[in-house]
Amino acid sequence: MDRRRFLQGLAATGAAVGLNGVSRSQSTPTAASPARRATLPPVRVPVQGLSLQGHTLQTSFTSAGQPWQVFEDLRDPHGTLTLSDGHHACVLGKRTEPVYAETDTPYFGMKLADIALAEADLLADHLLRHGEPAEDEVRRAAPPVAAQLNPENYYGRLPWTTFVGTRQCADTMPVYTSGSTRTYHTDQVFADLHDPKRVARRREGLLGGWLPAVHKVIPIDEQSWYDVLVFADVDATDRFVVQTWHRTARIERGKMVHVSYGHSYPSYPPRRMPPDASAFYAALLRFHDYWQAELADLCIAEVPAAGWTDMVHHAFARELIVRPDGTYPKYGAVDRDYYGNEYDGFQDTFTSSLYANLEWGRFAQAAAVLDEYFTDFVQPDGMINMRGAETGQFGLTLSLLARYFHYTGDGALLDKHRAKIEATVQLLLALHDASLQLSSSDPGYGLIHGWNESDACLFPDPTLWWKPYYANSAMAARGLRDIAQVWQAITHGGSSQPTQWQQRADLLAHQVERTLRANVRHDLKPPYVGPLPGVTLTFRESLAKEKPSEQQWPHRAYSELLQADVLPGDLSHLVIDCLRGHGATSIGVVANVAPVAPDSRDILGFISYGYAQQLLRLNRIDEFLLFLYAHRYHAHTPGSWTAGEVSDITGGMPLFCMPAQLTIPLLLRWMLVFEDSAGETLYLGRAIPRAWIGSGQSIRISDAPTRWGRTGFQLRATDESTIEGIVTLPDRGVPTLWLSLRVPAGKALAAVQVNGTAADWHGDDVKLQGSPGQRIHVHARFT
């Protein structure tokens, strides 16, 4: 359901919301705090070898006593902008994407009503018809996000599509379609930019690939365009006011015929005058260095297709912008939904951030996020300082705390919050105890009852959703199992608690499997299983007939059930097939399931990554790639990459939420480096698109953290029948390790050698062995 419609519906019922007052304590920085990281030298490239032929010298400026020059290729909207001191340079590329539909026949000619009403995911079926989906075909499956901006979605306010900010500022600045902000107006420079029809044909992107500097191109004719740059002033120290830099230019046939520079506000002579070009570019240099330093600890990845690794960088930069001081949690930005304090303790904001930062080696940020959350938002009894808890997220929290320890070895931070962590465990055990008091004939016997979705608490009678959703128990089993594995090492004690937690985990997992098997409806095709036991209607039927429905928000329940990974493979396959076949996916991504309507079939941008994760575990790689592509192109605005919590497939503008923004980093990391839930097997390159291998370009990731230490690999097809690769084994031990060589479509591996010796390989997968930290050379032939 669209978030605004949902809230309007609640308002109509007169529902009142309250939260017991809990004092907010000051978070204590840990030794890993980002504020204490070492200062690194600025990122530069040698001028020697750079070609500036045909570039225009814009201006010069001085920075730290060093003279700099600014060159820009104005022959093309994507021409680079280069800042050079004569020896080294910052080269800022430009890449934009159209924000409008490029075809008048979306959905491959299918009718939207047919797509929306069908139980099967018709778009997914079409895109998977030949196996691995084509990225560009997925992009064209539906109109781009924000291609159709409805003023009603903004309650009469101007429609913003992206925003800028800094770590140190506690707020953000929205950027509107024309490039204007709330305080600086591009249409005061060029009146054409006040024309919504002209601006609707714009292209959007980010300067430097991923830097949070908005770049907009509004065409005039084939060789002329308006060019708009906006970025936040990283030198500003205002607590809430976001100071911004602006360049608004008209470019005609390779020349900048008119340009205006601005800083935050319109001119007010003689006190406030526009900045000159040198001030703008000096600020741009500082901006570049600031953000490069902020993300210096990100492990490096390289893939052949444009934009993917930039999306990872941008997601982490955006997180620092959204979080005041880079650490205090905010679910959204700009609008009250979701920037209001009632959302600050939302569990998904914490778990998605901790997960993504750990997977990409950002341990200092992970530590800061963990410490902040447990200090300010976890109460001594394990309950959270937020309006409505999500029961499954307690289990995911415990699982991620164990992952934090596996990756970082930092037991001190977990020991600091030991009492609250143990209280979280006891909360789940108490809920499980209550379920064991039920009659053994009760459908929910032995399954944890509780809200699965936070929004349940907003209704007049929230008890309707205090139910035994499978995900509650599955996530609890996962969390108890994982935290039990590390608790002895963290506490340095001989406690029997971990053994007891493991026993509870096994009991919960067994009960989930037993009860789920007993509730499969084999009379439906594909077989159907509901989000909780004892229901007789499918979720579509329930949402249509029962108002309100206890099966509301089934998308969360299914995603968390799959993410927990406690079901045997056959049941996991069944759940996925159920979602795809009964109306719970949209273009291969988990759908935001709501009462069926002929004009919408929305994509769930956040929490749905658990579904994708299980696709990867089950080796359903084609579907995983469809999810990845569809999430990028239909849950993010083009070019500026603002991720929506829920995105429709008709081109509307969704509400931004930070957990949705962190989904692509998780998916791309798992595509390249993925470990099984049991902590026994490591997969490298498990979901690399065959088209990427066939490109002949390098695919690599370095220093990717795992529970066995850092690892990485590089692969490249050197010709039409050969792949060369180098794998660096983890430095703290070697698990069972598989490298996937997903050769181009229609090809098959013919021979594989590892360090010159014939290797053990099955299908696309090569088994690797060696000593910790060893570099392994892989040579493969395919036919």
Side-chain angles (χ1 to χ4, degrees):
M1 178 184 297
D2 180 87
R3 181 68 191 169
R4 293 180 176 88
R5 293 180 197 168
F6 174 68
L7 293 175
Q8 288 173 331
L10 283 176
T13 67
V17 182
L19 180 66
N20 291 332
V22 181
S23 63
R24 181 182 184 274
S25 59
Q26 182 64 36
S27 178
T28 303
T30 68
S33 170
R36 301 188 181 187
R37 66 180 181 276
T39 300
L40 299 173
V43 175
R44 302 283 186 265
V45 298
V47 169
Q48 185 178 6
L50 284 180
S51 175
L52 298 176
Q53 185 177 2
H55 294 211
T56 300
L57 175 62
Q58 296 283 41
T59 191
S60 60
F61 64 92
T62 300
S63 177
Q66 180 72 30
W68 288 75
Q69 291 182 309
V70 181
F71 299 90
E72 188 167 6
D73 184 356
L74 300 175
R75 296 168 295 181
D76 182 273
H78 295 161
T80 57
L81 193 160
T82 303
L83 312 177
S84 171
D85 67 1
H87 303 285
H88 297 89
C90 295
V91 180
L92 302 176
K94 298 175 188 171
R95 185 186 63 251
T96 61
E97 300 175 15
V99 302
Y100 50 87
E102 297 175 272
T103 174
D104 294 329
T105 55
Y107 319 120
F108 310 113
M110 290 183 257
K111 295 180 180 179
L112 176 60
D114 292 340
I115 294 168
L117 298 176
E119 291 212 335
D121 188 344
L122 300 182
L123 291 175
D125 292 346
H126 178 84
L127 291 162
L128 292 166
R129 66 195 184 282
H130 299 309
E132 181 176 301
E135 180 176 341
D136 191 61
E137 190 176 32
V138 177
R139 181 181 68 84
R140 292 183 286 104
V145 174
Q148 300 292 332
L149 297 179
N150 184 349
E152 292 183 2
N153 286 339
Y154 294 86
Y155 298 102
R157 299 192 299 272
L158 292 174
W160 65 272
T161 55
T162 187
F163 56 88
V164 296
T166 64
R167 167 197 278 276
Q168 64 267 24
C169 191
D171 208 342
T172 56
M173 177 61 74
V175 180
Y176 302 112
T177 55
S178 65
S180 293
T181 65
R182 290 188 186 273
T183 59
Y184 186 89
H185 308 282
T186 58
D187 57 5
Q188 293 178 355
V189 182
F190 298 112
D192 279 353
L193 298 182
H194 190 69
D195 180 357
K197 291 183 179 179
R198 178 182 291 277
V199 171
R201 302 299 296 176
R202 72 194 180 281
R203 298 176 65 97
E204 293 198 13
L206 301 166
L207 191 63
W210 61 266
L211 297 172
V214 176
H215 179 217
K216 294 176 183 274
V217 174
I218 299 94
I220 299 172
D221 57 40
E222 290 185 0
Q223 299 183 57
S224 305
W225 63 92
Y226 296 109
D227 195 274
V228 180
L229 294 177
V230 185
F231 60 91
D233 186 342
V234 298
D235 300 317
T237 58
D238 308 77
R239 184 58 181 151
F240 292 100
V241 177
V242 182
Q243 305 284 351
T244 51
W245 287 95
H246 302 259
R247 190 191 81 175
T248 312
R250 179 172 177 136
I251 299 171
E252 296 180 359
R253 291 159 180 78
K255 294 182 179 181
M256 191 175 287
V257 297
H258 183 189
V259 61
S260 177
Y261 298 95
H263 185 262
S264 301
Y265 310 113
S267 299
Y268 190 90
R271 291 293 183 264
R272 179 178 289 148
M273 300 299 292
D276 60 13
S278 62
F280 176 87
Y281 292 111
L284 180 60
L285 177 64
R286 295 191 298 272
F287 168 86
H288 169 273
D289 292 350
Y290 173 101
W291 283 109
Q292 292 287 350
E294 288 288 355
L295 269 62
D297 57 354
L298 194 70
C299 60
I300 302 301
E302 178 186 356
V303 300
W308 289 102
T309 57
D310 284 340
M311 289 190 82
V312 173
H313 281 77
H314 185 67
F316 289 117
R318 177 157 278 186
E319 182 187 31
L320 297 179
I321 290 171
V322 168
R323 287 177 174 264
D325 297 321
T327 56
Y328 184 84
K330 285 291 180 182
Y331 184 58
V334 183
D335 295 328
R336 178 77 198 196
D337 300 305
Y338 293 120
Y339 194 73
N341 64 77
E342 66 270 28
Y343 302 99
D344 292 353
F346 197 42
Q347 291 154 290
D348 296 286
T349 305
F350 168 66
T351 53
S352 64
S353 173
L354 183 59
Y355 210 160
N357 280 286
L358 283 175
E359 295 291 62
W360 284 92
R362 288 177 51 77
F363 293 162
Q365 178 70 4
V369 166
L370 193 162
D371 191 44
E372 164 69 39
Y373 192 76
F374 267 81
T375 298
D376 284 358
F377 294 98
V378 179
Q379 298 171 186
D381 62 357
M383 189 56 184
I384 60 166
N385 180 14
M386 196 265 181
R387 64 181 192 194
E390 294 164 339
T391 308
Q393 290 292 306
F394 288 114
L396 180 57
T397 292
L398 295 175
S399 177
L400 292 175
L401 295 178
R403 185 174 295 264
Y404 176 84
F405 181 73
H406 282 309
Y407 281 16
T408 69
D410 179 15
L413 180 56
L414 299 185
D415 192 50
K416 172 185 174 181
H417 298 291
R418 175 180 178 177
K420 290 184 177 181
I421 296 171
E422 291 180 343
T424 302
V425 172
Q426 292 304 317
L427 171 60
L428 291 175
L429 296 184
L431 291 170
H432 186 216
D433 287 340
S435 74
L436 294 173
Q437 301 305 308
L438 299 173
S439 167
S440 60
S441 61
D442 191 296
Y445 172 79
L447 297 177
I448 289 176
H449 292 55
W451 296 328
N452 179 248
E453 165 60 47
S454 177
D455 286 344
C457 75
L458 301 177
F459 288 78
D461 182 14
T463 60
L464 176 64
W465 295 281
W466 196 266
K467 293 292 170 64
Y469 301 101
Y470 295 120
N472 293 348
S473 297
M475 275 296 200
R478 170 54 53 205
L480 293 170
R481 183 174 292 167
D482 291 349
I483 200 70
Q485 293 176 357
V486 303
W487 203 240
Q488 292 284 21
I490 291 169
T491 58
H492 307 289
S495 170
S496 62
Q497 283 182 321
T499 300
Q500 296 169 1
W501 298 349
Q502 181 64 58
Q503 291 171 347
R504 286 295 191 106
D506 293 343
L507 187 61
L508 280 164
H510 173 75
Q511 189 66 12
V512 170
E513 178 186 353
R514 187 189 72 82
T515 308
L516 194 150
R517 284 194 188 279
N519 282 271
V520 176
R521 289 190 56 182
H522 291 284
D523 59 312
L524 298 178
K525 299 298 178 185
Y528 177 84
V529 57
L532 74 163
V535 297
T536 58
L537 301 177
T538 68
F539 53 78
R540 275 195 164 190
E541 292 169 339
S542 177
L543 289 168
K545 297 177 181 179
E546 300 174 328
K547 299 183 183 297
S549 164
E550 65 181 349
Q551 295 192 58
Q552 193 158 333
W553 313 291
H555 37 263
R556 176 184 287 276
Y558 285 122
S559 295
E560 290 181 346
L561 171 62
L562 292 168
Q563 183 175 355
D565 194 30
V566 299
L567 296 176
D570 67 313
L571 287 184
S572 293
H573 280 294
L574 183 150
V575 172
I576 289 171
D577 292 342
C578 170
L579 266 67
R580 273 198 61 183
H582 291 288
T585 68
S586 180
I587 322 185
V589 181
V590 176
N592 186 67
V593 179
V596 178
D599 60 350
S600 66
R601 188 174 181 129
D602 297 345
I603 285 176
L604 188 69
F606 83 128
I607 69 173
S608 55
Y609 63 84
Y611 173 87
Q613 192 178 55
Q614 192 62 272
L615 290 174
L616 196 57
R617 292 191 189 105
L618 297 174
N619 208 30
R620 296 173 71 149
I621 306 302
D622 294 341
E623 291 166 273
F624 176 87
L625 291 174
L626 175 58
F627 186 110
L628 175 74
Y629 296 156
H631 197 283
R632 169 178 174 168
Y633 292 109
H634 302 292
H636 292 75
T637 57
S640 57
W641 298 331
T642 298
E645 181 199 51
V646 174
S647 303
D648 65 43
I649 61 171
T650 62
M653 179 66 197
L655 268 174
F656 161 78
C657 83
M658 198 60 232
Q661 195 82 57
L662 291 171
T663 297
I664 289 295
L666 287 168
L667 299 180
L668 196 67
R669 153 62 200 247
W670 296 335
M671 167 203 286
L672 300 171
V673 180
F674 183 71
E675 54 188 89
D676 73 330
S677 300
E680 298 172 351
T681 307
L682 181 63
Y683 300 95
L684 303 180
R686 186 168 176 82
I688 294 174
R690 297 187 186 279
W692 289 8
I693 292 287
S695 73
Q697 299 180 56
S698 177
I699 302 165
R700 70 182 178 100
I701 186 170
S702 59
D703 292 325
T706 71
R707 69 181 65 207
W708 305 279
R710 300 276 185 165
T711 189
F713 69 88
Q714 181 169 4
L715 296 175
R716 187 169 73 87
T718 56
D719 57 40
E720 294 183 357
S721 62
T722 307
I723 297 175
E724 300 286 350
I726 298 176
V727 176
T728 302
L729 299 183
D731 52 18
R732 295 200 309 265
V734 180
T736 300
L737 193 154
W738 293 92
L739 171 67
S740 296
L741 300 175
R742 289 174 46 80
V743 298
K747 308 290 185 179
L749 285 175
V752 181
Q753 289 188 335
V754 175
N755 286 340
T757 302
D760 179 14
W761 54 280
H762 305 278
D764 294 326
D765 302 322
V766 182
K767 191 172 185 179
L768 302 180
Q769 295 177 315
S771 56
Q774 181 182 356
R775 285 169 59 87
I776 291 178
H777 294 262
V778 178
H779 175 89
R781 288 191 302 104
F782 56 90
T783 60

